[in-house]
Amino acid sequence: EIVMTQSPATLSVSPGERATLSCRASQSVSSNLAWFQQKRGQAPRLLIYSASSRATGIPARFSGSGSGTEFSLTISSLQSEDFAVYYCQQYSNWPLTFGGGTKVVIK
Amino acid sequence: QVQLQESGPGLVKPSETLSLTCTVSGGSINSHYWSWIRQPPGKGLEWIGYLYYSGFTNYNPALRSRTTISAGTSMNRFSLKLSSVTAADTAVYYCARHKNNLDAFDIWGQGTMVTVSS
């Protein structure tokens, strides 16, 4: 099983600032990586797939990069609605696995 | 616009079988792959398994011996059965669609909370 490790567990950011979230895979997943945003009481929402492609309707302030084992999600200028938990997920190998999440909180 | 909705009992007794249905509106399961994912309270996400409309399935090895995912008699439903449940199976259960083939989950249901308790 591929283990996905996200850091930091909690990220404190002021509105308007840039946030960078990290995700590391225990072995290469090529570009088979997705990022999701989850707000309290809601289902996860797909933000990024194939490591760097934005899903339909996702604002341009969200961007993804990386390949192999190291990935990042950048939110260029945090808006109030962006404070949430973010998960990475690999779909390179079975079973599909998720990272433990990064919670983005208001500084 | 495709939407997913989970349904089923919110309370299941230990050792019994958890049964949930995912209803697809605005489309059918005759395309794409479809998965079940769960999230224990306050914890992260765990993939349970997927179904292709042809009936092909694949399960998380950690749950394989207790899991069955199958298509419904109507082509807009699929179901999850998880047997011999314990308190560790208490979670919000989501159904989700894979975007293309077996890649990212692009559409999710709202989730349904299932509590295992006597």
Side-chain angles (χ1 to χ4, degrees), chain B residues 6-9 18-22 36 78-81 93 112 114:
Chain B
E6 304 88 350
S7 59
L18 177 160
S19 295
L20 297 174
T21 297
C22 181
W36 286 96
F78 61 102
S79 67
L80 167 70
K81 292 187 186 299
Y93 285 76
T112 187
V114 179

Side-chain angles (χ1 to χ4, degrees), chain B residues 3 21 26 39 43 49 52 58 62 71 75 81-82 84 88 100 102:
Chain B
Q3 294 183 310
T21 297
Q39 185 172 37
K43 296 188 177 181
Y52 190 54
N58 189 15
M75 292 311 288
K81 292 187 186 299
L82 185 66
S84 305
N100 290 305
L102 285 164

Side-chain angles (χ1 to χ4, degrees), chain B:
Chain B
Q1 180 180 345
V2 174
Q3 294 183 310
L4 308 181
Q5 177 70 58
E6 304 88 350
S7 59
L11 181 65
V12 181
K13 289 182 168 55
S15 80
E16 296 190 344
T17 296
L18 177 160
S19 295
L20 297 174
T21 297
C22 181
T23 300
V24 180
S25 58
S28 78
I29 66 169
N30 281 355
S31 63
H32 296 279
Y33 289 78
W34 306 87
S35 272
W36 286 96
I37 299 143
R38 69 180 183 178
Q39 185 172 37
K43 296 188 177 181
L45 298 157
E46 179 180 37
W47 172 74
I48 299 170
Y50 78 72
L51 167 78
Y52 190 54
Y53 78 94
S54 62
F56 186 79
T57 55
N58 189 15
Y59 303 129
N60 189 325
L63 300 168
R64 179 175 291 142
S65 64
R66 300 192 291 129
T67 306
T68 302
I69 299 175
S70 58
T73 51
S74 65
M75 292 311 288
N76 70 334
R77 292 182 181 179
F78 61 102
S79 67
L80 167 70
K81 292 187 186 299
L82 185 66
S83 63
S84 305
V85 297
T86 69
D89 296 309
T90 293
V92 175
Y93 285 76
Y94 297 100
C95 56
R97 187 186 81 169
H98 291 258
K99 185 177 180 297
N100 290 305
N101 294 319
L102 285 164
D103 63 10
F105 305 111
D106 65 340
I107 300 176
W108 295 64
Q110 67 183 29
T112 187
M113 180 69 200
V114 179
T115 301
V116 178
S117 175
S118 57

